């Protein structure tokens, strides 16, 4: 069963540590992680997902400009034939400490399936992704 | 003495190089016009007579006669991938590295129109890629289906998602397509794997294309047409840079080869960022990279070169600004046999040549992009960083036979002014003065150490 996911840090953001941790955590959980790393444009996420037949795209943004950087990503996914690809976003998506519910709503309106507050542990999103992709441990190659 | 005869059936000239393999010396070189219309061997015999005359006092036994060819239109290819910047680009790079002319590169599922266009262009080989291993396989399978039944006997090299290979094999076998399956050009995202595709292309070239182009005659007389001419050049340059187990090479190198219709640039270098804080983006670069500029050349492409460069750029290379360079370029592309004689004609050729050097290198090398973040500037790199590459080597008649090769190479390089280009920062300039790169590429197949010794002797430092 295909369990490929694309992971990367969007925009002009070069915070690399969280990205490495997510790569490790999702790989260990049995996903085939295609990590495009920091400084990744929307197009790079999409191109990577098309070639690798990815089932989900996990976008990180740490430096506060996540909203501008993520705008339009869902539309481009639809355009590229990736309308069924699951989209997650996490990190420090916006500047400063804002009410997370509002942030979550704005990202969901942009087409993200799930949005994570700063400091969420990888375990939470791993379990969500397994649900969303209908994967249970038995079908995953570990 | 034992000698090897190396033959380059070029698009215009057939060049012969006789090498004394007991003493690692060049015995004689000769050339004659390539004769594809009658019999490819006519030109060969003419040149061989000259070699015989030059070596008449020697007792020579030719132990091997090896050839490369870019005659009869060279090797025309079409490459097909999935995403333009990924597998399509990877396929294109593999095809170029195999010494072909890539007429067009296609992405995603082919339309009926695109397939008609492909057939119209009569490629010698189609390279079909798409999907990482385990990635997308629908596209490449659909493209294999769409092509089979339409392309007749055009050979296909398949170098895509390994999970699609069994299906493609069935489709092609059912439809009687001549095909070769090899490893994926991009097995994982942004990881380039061009060697298997290059080798498969070379095999098809030897098995099928030589015969199809009427060059089979040659193989009755000589041992083998082993590869395309650009492949031979790339092999020679690679050898010169890397050396062998017995003898060291000279290190990273950039080569520019100017012909009448095209300008080739080769680089032997990993091209990774040389400065800290620069992030490499996109598809990995091939260590031995070849690019071809179809719009830059001394004759057939002189007028397209003018279109690309423009008067302002070209004027900078002319001592005499009153020359109507546009008109001259147009004239030369209509009179491709023209050999420069007068002072003005020589200056025109030098101007065209310098322009081609600058533009072709600019397109080959990598760039840094500056992105402004709240913290300051961030640098990302696309393509190869050649700033620490030590040598720039010129070859091709226009440079080799010119009055001032080093000036052409230097002015061409210096015309690349924008600091975003990662060009060699303090290169030494080399010249292939006896025009032996393709011959040494061939020789290196059996005698790499000898080929390297001869290269070191005959490729000279000019500044
Ligand atoms: C180290 C660091 C840097 C280093 C980065 C080095 C590097 N190359 O990695 C440097 C000094 C370069 C840097 C620069 C900047 N930084 Co900084 N940096 C940090 C710092 C201290 C730690 C980041 C880190 O590595 N955390 C550890 C990892 C493991 O956690 P994480 O990145 O948050 O990732 C985890 C989770 O968020 C989550 N996650 C992340 N993405 C996703 C995605 C999904 C889908 C899911 C499910 C989960 C998820 O999982 C990860 C693993 O557990 C943070 C403050 C902090 N304590 O967080 C500031 C911080 C991120 N930086 C900040 C800022 C503003 C900047 C700068 C803009 C300017 C500045 N003030 O220094 C520049 C931007 C440069 C750029 N263009 O990117 C702010 C961002 C503010 C905001 N968003 O509102 C922070 C929060 C500091 C602050 N409080 O002001 N920074």
């Amino acid at each position: 069963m295909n369990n490929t996911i694309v992971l990367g840090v969007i925009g002009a953001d070069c915070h690399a540590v969280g990205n490495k941790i997510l790569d490790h955590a999702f790989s260990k959980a049995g996903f085939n992680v295609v990590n495009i790393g920091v400084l990744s444009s929307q197009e790079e996420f999409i191109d990577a997902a098309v070639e690798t037949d990815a089932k989900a795209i996990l976008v990180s943004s740490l430096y506060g400009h996540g909203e501008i950087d993520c705008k339009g990503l869902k539309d481009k996914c639809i355009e590229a034939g990736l309308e069924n690809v699951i989209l997650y976003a996490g990190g420090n998506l916006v500047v400063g400490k804002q009410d997370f519910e509002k942030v979550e709503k704005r990202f969901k309106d942009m087409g993200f399936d799930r949005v994570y507050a700063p400091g969420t542990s990888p375990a939470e999103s791993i379990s969500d992704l397994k649900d969303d992709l209908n994967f249970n441990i038995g079908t995953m190659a570990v | 003495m034992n000698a090897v005869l190396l033959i380059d059936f070029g698009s215009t000239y057939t060049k012969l190089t006789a090498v004394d393999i007991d003493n690692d010396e060049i015995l004689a070189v000769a050339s004659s016009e390539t004769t594809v219309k009658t019999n490819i061997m006519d030109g060969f015999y003419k040149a061989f007579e000259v070699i015989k005359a030059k070596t008449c006092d020697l007792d020579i036994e030719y132990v091997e006669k090896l050839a490369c060819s870019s005659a009869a239109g060279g090797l025309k290819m079409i490459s097909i991938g999935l995403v333009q910047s990924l597998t399509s680009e990877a396929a294109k790079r593999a095809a170029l590295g195999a010494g072909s002319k890539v007429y067009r590169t296609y992405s995603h599922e082919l339309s009926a129109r695109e397939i008609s266009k492909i057939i119209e262009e009569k490629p010698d080989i189609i390279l079909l890629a798409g999907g990482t291993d385990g990635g997308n396989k629908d596209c490449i399978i659909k493209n294999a289906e769409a092509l089979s039944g339409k392309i007749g006997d055009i050979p296909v090299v398949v170098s895509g998602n390994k999970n699609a290979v069994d299906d493609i094999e069935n489709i092609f076998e059912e439809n009687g397509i001549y095909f070769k399956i090899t490893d994926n050009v991009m097995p994982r995202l942004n990881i380039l794997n061009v060697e298997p595709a290059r080798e498969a292309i070379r095999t098809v070239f030897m098995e099928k294309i030589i015969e199809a182009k009427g060059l089979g005659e040659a193989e009755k007389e000589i041992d083998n047409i082993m590869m395309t001419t650009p492949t031979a050049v790339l092999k020679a340059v690679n050898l010169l840079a890397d050396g062998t187990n017995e003898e060291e090479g000279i290190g990273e190198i950039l080569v520019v080869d100017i012909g009448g219709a095209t300008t080739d640039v080769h680089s032997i270098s990993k091209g990774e960022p040389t400065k800290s804080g620069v992030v490499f983006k996109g598809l990995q670069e091939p260590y031995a990279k070849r690019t071809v500029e179809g719009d830059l050349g001394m004759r057939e492409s002189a007028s397209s070169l003018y279109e690309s460069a423009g008067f302002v750029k070209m004027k900078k290379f002319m001592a005499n600004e009153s020359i109507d360079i546009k008109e001259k370029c147009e004239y030369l592309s209509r009179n491709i046999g023209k050999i420069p004689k007068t002072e003005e004609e020589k200056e025109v050729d030098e101007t065209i040549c310098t322009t081609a050097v600058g533009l072709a290198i600019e397109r080959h090398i990598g760039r840094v992009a500056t992105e402004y973040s709240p913290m300051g500037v961030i640098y990302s790199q696309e393509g190869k960083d050649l700033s620490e590459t030590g040598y720039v080597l010129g070859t091709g008649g226009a440079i080799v036979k010119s009055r001032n090769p080093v000036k052409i190479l230097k002015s061409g390089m210096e015309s690349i002014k924008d600091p975003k280009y990662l060009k060699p920062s303090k290169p030494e300039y080399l010249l292939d003065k006896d025009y032996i790169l393709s011959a040494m590429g061939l020789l290196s197949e059996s005698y790499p150490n000898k080929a390297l010794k001869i290269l070191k002797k005959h490729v000279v430092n000019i500044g």
Side-chain angles (χ1 to χ4, degrees):
Chain A
M1 186 146 212
N2 179 351
N3 56 6
T4 301
I5 62 170
V6 171
L7 177 71
V9 185
I10 201 163
D13 192 338
C14 61
H15 289 92
V17 183
N19 171 263
K20 295 262 155 53
I21 290 177
L22 290 170
D23 187 342
H24 183 76
F26 277 84
S27 300
K28 213 171 157 223
F31 289 94
N32 173 31
V33 179
V34 174
N35 189 354
I36 61 173
V38 299
L39 292 179
S40 294
S41 67
Q42 292 189 357
E43 287 71 20
E44 285 169 301
F45 278 96
I46 288 170
D47 288 348
V50 171
E51 287 282 5
T52 61
D53 204 16
K55 297 292 174 252
I57 296 176
L58 274 58
V59 181
S60 291
S61 178
L62 286 309
Y63 70 161
H65 303 269
E67 217 167 333
I68 305 169
D69 291 341
C70 290
K71 209 170 252 161
L73 179 61
K74 180 69 184 181
D75 292 340
K76 285 189 197 161
C77 281
I78 295 169
E79 202 69 66
L82 302 177
E83 57 275 10
N84 297 323
V85 169
I86 289 166
L87 280 185
Y88 285 6
N92 303 310
L93 290 168
V94 293
V95 178
K97 294 221 179 324
Q98 300 185 25
D99 179 358
F100 183 68
E101 267 173 35
K102 285 189 184 143
V103 174
E104 185 179 21
K105 176 158 190 326
R106 294 210 298 274
F107 274 78
K108 285 199 163 163
D109 289 347
M110 283 199 280
F112 283 85
D113 298 289
R114 290 184 193 264
V115 188
Y116 294 87
T120 317
S121 86
E124 191 180 327
S125 48
I126 287 171
S127 131
D128 288 343
L129 192 58
K130 285 184 177 171
D131 286 347
D132 289 352
L133 295 174
N134 293 321
F135 284 160
N136 48 54
I137 307 297
T139 63
M140 307 263 308
V142 182
Chain B
M1 72 179 65
N2 290 318
V4 173
L5 186 65
L6 305 154
I7 306 126
D8 177 359
F9 293 108
S11 48
T12 355
Y13 293 104
T14 296
K15 285 183 301 174
L16 269 53
T17 309
V19 174
D20 168 359
I21 47 158
D22 297 331
N23 301 299
D24 308 341
E25 295 285 353
I26 292 181
L27 293 169
V29 292
S31 69
S32 175
E33 256 169 59
T34 296
T35 46
V36 263
K37 292 213 180 77
T38 52
N39 179 335
I40 184 84
M41 294 309 281
D42 294 349
F44 167 83
Y45 287 127
K46 240 183 167 171
F48 195 45
E49 286 308 315
V50 179
I51 296 266
K52 278 194 204 150
K54 283 188 182 172
T55 56
C56 58
D57 49 348
L58 300 173
D59 178 22
I60 298 178
E61 192 193 335
Y62 287 104
V63 292
E64 264 179 287
K65 293 177 185 162
L66 306 172
C68 60
S69 165
S70 54
L75 177 62
K76 288 203 275 181
M77 286 191 64
I78 294 283
S79 55
I80 302 166
L82 172 51
V83 172
Q84 200 190 345
S85 61
L86 297 172
T87 43
S88 296
E89 178 64 25
K92 180 179 165 192
R93 288 184 191 171
L96 284 172
S100 73
K101 292 186 197 167
V102 178
Y103 271 53
R104 216 172 285 272
T105 304
Y106 293 89
S107 307
H108 301 286
E109 281 170 31
L110 296 164
S111 67
R113 273 162 182 274
E114 285 175 327
I115 290 175
S116 310
K117 179 116 198 159
I118 291 173
I119 294 159
E120 237 169 68
E121 275 168 328
K122 295 201 176 68
D124 296 313
I125 303 176
I126 294 172
L127 177 59
L128 180 61
T132 52
D133 284 346
N136 181 296
K137 58 178 190 178
D138 296 348
C139 179
I140 188 169
I141 292 172
K142 283 199 179 125
N143 283 340
E145 268 164 3
L147 288 167
S148 59
K150 299 264 172 54
I151 54 170
D153 57 359
I154 302 173
V156 184
V157 170
V158 182
S159 187
N161 185 353
K162 75 176 172 72
N163 300 74
V165 161
D166 295 345
D167 289 1
I168 294 172
E169 198 161 16
N170 288 337
I171 296 163
F172 281 168
E173 261 165 16
E174 261 166 41
N175 288 277
I177 303 284
Y178 180 98
F179 67 101
K180 281 249 166 340
I181 287 178
T182 182
D183 293 348
N184 198 343
V185 279
M186 197 181 84
R188 282 174 294 135
L189 190 80
N190 284 335
I191 300 299
L192 193 68
N193 175 40
V194 289
E195 276 319 313
R198 283 180 183 178
E199 271 312 308
I201 292 166
R202 189 172 149 194
T203 310
V204 176
F205 175 76
M206 300 206 316
E207 281 177 5
K208 273 241 5 169
I209 311 303
I210 304 282
E211 204 56 53
K213 286 189 181 291
L215 307 178
E217 261 321 290
E219 296 198 330
K220 291 179 189 152
E221 197 59 41
I222 62 177
D223 295 317
N224 239 333
I225 297 184
M226 310 177 66
M227 57 186 94
T228 64
T229 303
T231 306
V233 172
L234 194 56
K235 274 192 192 293
V237 179
N238 208 335
L239 177 69
L240 182 62
D242 288 354
T244 65
N245 289 338
E246 279 175 35
E247 190 164 340
E248 251 172 317
I250 64 167
E252 292 189 5
I253 188 167
L254 178 69
V255 181
V256 51
D257 180 356
I258 304 194
T262 56
T263 296
D264 280 26
V265 180
H266 308 259
S267 61
I268 310 295
S269 159
K270 287 206 181 97
E272 285 164 358
T274 56
K275 291 187 191 63
S276 66
V278 177
V279 181
F280 183 85
K281 294 304 295 179
L283 186 61
Q284 204 181 22
E285 290 288 328
Y287 175 68
K289 179 171 187 172
R290 167 175 179 253
T291 49
V292 182
E293 306 307 333
D295 61 335
L296 307 176
M298 298 302 301
R299 292 293 177 267
E300 289 88 337
S301 303
S303 69
S304 53
L305 174 138
Y306 179 83
E307 295 298 322
S308 301
F311 176 69
V312 177
K313 192 173 180 96
M314 294 188 79
K315 165 183 95 170
K316 295 196 183 110
F317 304 130
M318 298 189 296
N320 175 3
E321 282 190 20
S322 66
I323 296 175
D324 183 349
I325 191 75
K326 177 170 191 235
E327 195 265 329
K328 298 286 176 204
C329 285
E330 282 164 2
Y331 171 80
L332 288 171
S333 51
R334 289 191 306 268
N335 296 275
I336 57 172
K338 183 84 191 162
I339 291 164
K341 290 203 179 67
T342 67
E343 176 62 30
E344 189 181 278
E345 284 166 356
K346 285 181 184 161
E347 189 173 339
V348 167
D349 264 19
E350 284 166 12
T351 302
I352 296 175
C353 193
T354 312
T355 310
V357 168
L359 280 178
I361 291 178
E362 186 176 295
R363 293 175 191 172
H364 181 95
I365 59 182
R367 289 162 290 269
V368 275
T370 313
E371 297 184 45
Y372 297 92
S373 84
M375 241 254 299
V377 274
I378 303 173
Y379 301 100
S380 68
Q381 172 187 330
E382 250 179 273
K384 283 181 159 184
D385 181 349
L386 299 181
S387 49
E388 285 173 8
T389 295
Y391 297 99
V392 173
L393 189 163
T395 183
I399 296 179
V400 176
K401 297 205 177 81
S402 80
R403 296 177 293 188
N404 198 344
V406 73
K407 182 169 164 235
I408 290 176
L409 292 173
K410 260 193 187 147
S411 322
M413 281 286 286
E414 280 161 14
S415 71
I416 306 170
K417 290 229 156 56
D418 194 324
K420 77 179 179 191
Y421 290 111
L422 301 165
K423 65 174 183 178
S425 55
K426 288 187 216 80
E428 287 179 39
Y429 292 92
L430 306 176
L431 189 68
D432 173 24
K433 75 171 175 16
D434 300 313
Y435 227 139
I436 53 155
L437 289 185
S438 58
M440 291 309 113
L442 280 168
L443 187 66
S444 74
E445 286 286 281
S446 326
Y447 307 95
N449 288 308
K450 293 175 187 299
L452 180 58
K453 284 208 181 81
I454 296 173
L455 276 171
K456 282 188 171 173
K457 239 182 282 175
H458 290 263
V459 169
V460 293
N461 196 316
I462 52 171

